C-alpha cells in the first residue's frame, strides 16, 4: 500500500488541508528572504514530493536536518517518506526527536515507516507504544493506540495485542479501531 501522509488533522483529506498549506506557501512567497531556501517547502505544499526531496537534498540534507525548526523538520521527513526515501525520512524524524523532544509527530511517523514502509510490525508497535507513553493525550494518541493494536496483531503477539485492545477500549470506546479492539479482546 502507498504511504499515507501524516496530516496534522488525521480526519482531514488532502483537499481539506490545501487552504492552510496554500496560506503557508503564500507567506513564504511574499517573504522569501525570511524563509531561506523555501523551494522544497513550496513543492511539498503542492504535493510534489520527489521534486521537494531533490531540492532539499541540493540545499544540503544533513544541514537542513540540523538547522530547521520542529515543524519544518517534520515536514522534511514527511517529504522524504512520501517520496519513498525511507532512510532520509527516518533521519529527519530522528533528528526532530533528538532536537525537539516535545514534538509528538516524529515518533508517530517513525511508527508509520516501520508499519507501512518496512513491514516491521514489532518495531512499529514499539514506536506507537512509545508515542502513547510520551504523549498519552497527544493529538495522535487515538490513532497511535489503534495502530498499536494492528502492529501487535501483525507481529503475532496476541498477548500484547489484547492488552493494547483493552487499553484502547478504555480510552476510545467509540473510536475507529473499537470494532477491531473488541474482536481482539474476546476472539
Amino acid at each position: 500500500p502507498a504511504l499515507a501522509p501524516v496530516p496534522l488533522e488525521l480526519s482531514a483529506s488532502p483537499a481539506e488541508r490545501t487552504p492552510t498549506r496554500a496560506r503557508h506557501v503564500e507567506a513564504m512567497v511574499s517573504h522569501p528572504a525570511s524563509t531561506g531556501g523555501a523551494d522544497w517547502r513550496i513543492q511539498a505544499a503542492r504535493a510534489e514530493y520527489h521534486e521537494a526531496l531533490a531540492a532539499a537534498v541540493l540545499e544540503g540534507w544533513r544541514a537542513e536536518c540540523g538547522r530547521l525548526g520542529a515543524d519544518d523538520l517534520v515536514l522534511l521527513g514527511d517529504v522524504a517518506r512520501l517520496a519513498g526515501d525511507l532512510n532520509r525520512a527516518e533521519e529527519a524524524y530522528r533528528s526532530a526527536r533528538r532536537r525537539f523532544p516535545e514534538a509528538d509527530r516524529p515518533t508517530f511517523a517513525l511508527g508509520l515507516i516501520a508499519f507501512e514502509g518496512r513491514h516491521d510490525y514489532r518495531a512499529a508497535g514499539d514506536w506507537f507504544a512509545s508515542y502513547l507513553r510520551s504523549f498519552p493525550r497527544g493529538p495522535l494518541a487515538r490513532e497511535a493506540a489503534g495502530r498499536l493494536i494492528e502492529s501487535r496483531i501483525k507481529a503475532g503477539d496476541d498477548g500484547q495485542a489484547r492488552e493494547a485492545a483493552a487499553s484502547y477500549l478504555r480510552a476510545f470506546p467509540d473510536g475507529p479501531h473499537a470494532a477491531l479492539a473488541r474482536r481482539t479482546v474476546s476472539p
Side-chain angles (χ1 to χ4, degrees):
L3 296 176
V6 181
L8 292 176
E9 304 87 22
L10 284 173
S11 61
S13 70
E16 292 168 324
R17 289 189 308 272
T18 301
T20 301
R21 289 181 185 255
R23 284 193 299 274
H24 183 65
V25 170
E26 288 171 3
M28 288 189 294
V29 172
S30 64
H31 299 90
S34 67
T35 60
D39 291 343
W40 71 264
R41 290 178 196 88
I42 292 169
Q43 289 168 317
R46 293 179 183 151
E48 297 170 352
Y49 302 116
H50 289 91
E51 295 84 355
L53 176 62
V57 168
L58 282 175
E59 289 180 25
W61 182 266
R62 290 234 160 82
E64 291 288 273
C65 285
R67 78 167 185 81
L68 291 173
D71 290 343
D72 281 342
L73 188 50
V74 171
L75 177 61
L76 188 65
D78 292 345
V79 162
R81 184 172 56 84
L82 294 166
D85 190 335
L86 301 183
N87 292 333
R88 278 201 171 97
E90 285 177 335
E91 182 179 359
Y93 295 138
R94 287 178 190 275
S95 178
R97 278 179 46 88
R98 199 171 37 257
R99 294 181 52 222
F100 306 102
E102 71 285 354
D104 69 307
R105 288 188 63 226
T107 303
F108 184 84
L110 286 163
L112 284 181
I113 288 174
F115 190 96
E116 296 175 350
R118 304 219 186 269
H119 307 288
D120 183 345
Y121 303 114
R122 187 165 309 283
D126 293 346
W127 282 116
F128 295 129
S130 175
Y131 181 96
L132 292 168
R133 279 190 307 276
S134 299
F135 308 101
R137 298 195 194 304
L140 299 170
R142 185 182 71 183
E143 183 67 15
R147 289 297 191 116
L148 177 59
I149 300 167
E150 293 175 357
S151 299
R152 297 304 189 210
I153 290 170
K154 287 188 173 278
D157 191 335
D158 294 340
Q160 285 191 341
R162 278 191 296 279
E163 284 178 33
S167 178
Y168 184 92
L169 289 171
R170 282 190 300 276
F172 312 106
D174 298 319
H177 287 86
L180 174 64
R182 281 190 287 280
R183 286 191 308 272
T184 304
V185 167
S186 53

